[in-house]
Amino acid sequence: MLREPAFAGMFYEKDPAALRKQVEALVFKKDEKLDAVAVIVPHAGYVYSGKVAAEVFSSVKIPPLIILLGPNHTGDGAPVSVMSEGVWRTPLGDVKINEPIAAEILKKSACCQKDSRAHLREHSLEVQLPLLQALRKNFTIVPIALGEYNSANLRETAAAIASVLKGRDALIVASTDLTHYEDAAQARKKDMAVLEAIEALDADRMVREVAEKEISMCGWMPSFVAIKAAKQLGAKKGVVIRYANSGEASGDFSSVVGYGGAAII
């Protein structure tokens, strides 16, 4: 199956030359890169959150295999949806799904389901690809969308991913924005609570902060799975790389979306 880009021309440039110029302006060369097990990056339009995501990706080694974890904003498809076959196209070229790795994850987790519907109109994973393509020419992906909260399913998904990735050169990419549509000061206060939990690799604490402080973090489930899987793979800590909000681009700080970028090492 070929998944065509659904958000080119909206979240990022559609013309290949214009997109190449756009991403090259965002990513940067760094002499020393972190050996990350996972990263947490935002997924808004590049004008808003592109700098945060690009700085995270620029700060870590990009391996040949990437597990993409994102929230399911549309509600389409399976609760834990693994797109296990085909190619994702961007204006910069095609990225193949790693079908053997996807099949292994599906085999190890009963809650993970082979499904493409959840991915066809979902932006949270698509927007990561051009940034990754700017930093590495050849890599494969396993796209997973999480759409329905079930603690046991999230833990099982994390365990399956960790089991499959053990001994492999891979990166888990969890896609999330943070607080939505609150003033910048309040958003930062809430978002720091989430980022501190991520730094501590305390996924359960992160979930408690989201619930108790009513933080509108759309990708807390992908972040939870990424932290749990990364810890099983030997990660020791999280490192916050950049924080920003949409007001820095729009000029309106009365109602912002928060964007946090972190590496788990």
Side-chain angles (χ1 to χ4, degrees):
M1 178 179 181
L2 173 63
R3 185 200 181 275
E4 296 281 0
F7 296 91
M10 291 183 282
F11 281 61
Y12 56 88
E13 295 286 353
K14 185 175 185 178
D15 175 75
L19 177 57
R20 194 170 291 108
K21 184 177 179 180
Q22 185 180 35
V23 296
E24 285 175 355
L26 292 171
V27 301
F28 58 89
K29 293 182 180 179
K30 203 166 185 178
D31 292 334
E32 293 186 11
K33 292 180 179 280
L34 298 170
D35 244 331
V37 181
V39 294
I40 293 174
V41 289
H43 54 237
Y46 285 2
V47 67
Y48 296 108
S49 68
K51 288 181 180 179
V52 176
E55 185 165 348
V56 173
F57 288 135
S58 298
S59 299
V60 304
K61 296 175 184 177
I62 307 297
L65 170 61
I66 296 173
I67 308 298
L68 294 172
L69 300 170
N72 182 343
H73 290 91
T74 67
D76 294 338
V80 182
S81 168
V82 181
M83 189 165 175
S84 60
E85 299 174 347
V87 171
W88 281 40
R89 176 162 292 169
T90 83
L92 298 184
D94 292 349
V95 181
K96 292 181 180 179
I97 291 174
N98 193 311
E99 297 180 5
I101 296 296
E104 283 191 53
I105 292 172
L106 288 166
K107 186 177 180 180
K108 287 186 176 290
S109 172
C111 70
C112 292
Q113 298 178 54
K114 180 179 178 179
D115 176 66
S116 61
R117 291 172 299 158
H119 297 276
L120 299 182
R121 296 188 298 114
E122 176 55 54
H123 66 276
S124 63
L125 301 183
E126 177 183 325
V127 297
Q128 312 305 334
L129 293 180
L131 295 171
L132 290 163
Q133 288 174 303
L135 291 162
R136 184 181 176 102
K137 286 186 178 180
N138 297 306
F139 61 91
T140 60
I141 60 172
V142 178
I144 302 174
L146 301 165
E148 182 178 287
Y149 173 60
N150 180 300
S151 179
N153 286 353
L154 296 182
R155 293 172 193 275
E156 182 180 306
T157 302
I161 291 169
S163 176
V164 170
L165 294 189
K166 190 172 183 180
R168 288 188 162 106
D169 188 12
L171 179 69
I172 301 166
V173 174
S175 177
T176 186
D177 293 338
L178 299 177
T179 295
H180 289 63
Y181 310 124
E182 298 188 33
D183 72 79
Q186 181 67 11
R188 182 181 181 85
K189 184 178 179 181
K190 289 185 173 184
D191 294 343
M192 288 305 111
V194 167
L195 293 174
E196 286 168 10
I198 290 170
E199 284 184 312
L201 298 190
D202 192 336
D204 296 294
R205 173 181 156 195
M206 182 194 72
V207 173
R208 288 196 302 272
E209 295 285 10
V210 168
E212 292 171 5
K213 292 181 170 61
E214 298 183 333
I215 301 170
S216 49
M217 176 184 181
C218 56
W220 68 265
M221 287 189 287
S223 301
F224 180 95
V225 170
I227 294 169
K228 290 290 187 182
K231 286 185 74 174
Q232 291 174 52
L233 288 165
K236 302 300 182 186
K237 65 178 180 178
V239 179
V240 174
I241 292 175
R242 187 177 182 125
Y243 177 77
N245 65 60
S246 59
E248 295 171 30
S250 70
D252 180 5
F253 293 94
S254 66
S255 179
V256 306
V257 180
Y259 311 118
I264 298 173
I265 60 177

